[in-house]
Amino acid sequence: MVDPGLVVVDKSPGMTSHDVVARVRRLAGTRKVGHAGTLDPMATGVLVLGVDRATRLLGHLMLTEKSYDATIRLGVATTTDDAEGEVLETRAVDAVDPEAVRAELARFVGDIEQVPTAVSAIKVDGKRAYARVRDGEQVELKARPVTVHELVVHEVALPDVRISVRCSSGTYIRAIARDLGAALGVGGHLTALRRTAVGSFDLSLARTLEQLGEDFAVVPIAAAARATFPGVDLDDEQAAHVRFGRALDLALPDDGPHAVFAPGGEFLALYERRGDQARPVAVFV
């Protein structure tokens, strides 16, 4: 079995996130594998998986920002807001002004309220929204606050629009495609989506499943923690307290989780500031 850490997969199209987890379980020789946020079967790119006790890092990783490259097709609305759904409506895009496309996309940047796509994994009365849609139910989800940090328009070659997005976790790029089409009065859906980064883990670290089958590359848990959270190096006495989950008289530099390390570099825990002390969020030893 491999050492605990993160595996950064470059997911191929047509696979579910569960398919990837199942394959990595076989490669790692353990069932203790999880992922930090799903990717739709149509989507490709960065899928971060945790192996062994590193799976406990995943819940914190899911809160980090993500980056995507996407292609939107205007003039066609679908049931899933992407190319895998059934066509609901088709409209001509001849009268759409490319500058109007850019102007509407600029409105998505910042803190916005976004209605998730109906076929999302959000639970409605204990059942996934996509499962309700699949069973023929009408699903209406409430708008949620999300943040689009940056949206770059690379090309407007109607009916297609190529963009890159850097956004908060929970942002649906399919919903941006849908809402852009609605704002322009012609409908729209996503035809391609590639996740280029999850937090600090980007495509430069990602490996396809075929590559991992030849060389199973794992980001060690200590390196993963340093890459994701502000790091604090402790002395021996402080490290001993952390091993028992005790609070520390330690002034952390920022809000939010900090990765704390023993003098030899061993990753011990995530701590956060509470009043004048640092208290444990999760202990990994």
Side-chain angles (χ1 to χ4, degrees):
M1 193 178 84
V2 299
D3 293 332
L6 299 184
V7 179
V8 187
V9 178
D10 183 351
K11 189 183 89 65
S12 301
M15 301 186 75
T16 66
S17 298
H18 182 74
D19 291 337
V20 177
V21 168
R23 179 75 180 275
V24 171
R25 280 173 175 162
R26 291 195 294 272
L27 293 174
T30 176
R31 288 199 56 78
K32 200 167 183 181
V33 176
H35 59 73
T38 61
L39 271 179
D40 295 329
M42 184 189 85
T44 67
V46 175
L47 185 66
V48 179
L49 281 69
V51 177
D52 197 45
R53 69 176 184 272
T55 55
R56 295 177 58 211
L57 272 178
L58 298 179
H60 303 284
L61 272 175
M62 288 176 71
L63 303 178
T64 62
E65 66 180 38
K66 299 176 173 65
S67 298
Y68 299 88
D69 291 338
T71 301
I72 298 168
R73 179 154 298 166
L74 296 173
V76 180
T78 73
T79 54
T80 58
D81 305 322
D82 64 18
E84 296 191 325
E86 297 176 9
V87 174
L88 290 171
E89 187 179 26
T90 302
R91 293 193 179 186
V93 297
D94 307 32
V96 175
D97 182 353
E99 289 309 309
V101 174
R102 295 177 183 273
E104 288 296 340
L105 283 169
R107 299 178 190 273
F108 291 101
V109 179
D111 297 327
I112 62 172
E113 292 285 324
Q114 184 187 67
V115 177
T117 179
V119 289
S120 69
I122 293 171
K123 285 190 175 180
V124 179
D125 296 330
K127 186 176 178 181
R128 301 287 185 188
Y130 65 75
R132 291 186 178 277
V133 171
R134 191 173 56 216
D135 291 342
E137 297 180 37
Q138 190 74 24
V139 175
E140 292 185 10
L141 299 174
K142 295 180 180 179
R144 305 179 158 210
V146 298
T147 302
V148 176
H149 301 290
E150 183 180 36
L151 193 159
V152 177
V153 182
H154 296 293
E155 183 182 31
V156 181
L158 296 173
D160 291 339
V161 182
R162 291 194 306 108
I163 63 174
S164 292
V165 181
R166 184 169 58 86
C167 56
S168 66
S169 181
T171 305
Y172 286 88
I173 311 302
R174 282 181 292 170
I176 291 177
R178 175 200 67 203
D179 294 344
L180 173 65
L184 295 167
V186 295
H189 70 283
L190 207 62
T191 60
L193 182 67
R194 183 162 177 77
R195 188 153 68 192
T196 56
V198 174
S200 60
F201 302 99
D202 59 19
L203 286 169
S204 69
L205 295 170
R207 301 291 180 268
T208 64
L209 289 173
E210 290 72 20
Q211 290 171 326
L212 288 169
E214 297 174 2
D215 178 19
F216 194 72
V218 177
V219 180
I221 190 170
R226 280 200 187 274
T228 307
F229 307 98
V232 178
D233 294 299
L234 306 177
D235 59 30
D236 286 321
E237 183 180 355
Q238 291 169 323
H241 286 308
V242 168
R243 292 179 189 279
F244 289 98
R246 296 171 183 152
L248 298 176
D249 292 322
L250 179 67
L252 296 176
D254 300 298
D255 292 329
H258 290 63
V260 298
F261 298 86
E266 180 188 8
F267 171 54
L268 300 176
L270 295 177
Y271 268 59
E272 66 181 10
R273 183 165 58 194
R274 294 183 196 167
D276 295 330
Q277 290 186 312
R279 292 185 175 271
V281 176
V283 177
F284 289 80
V285 291

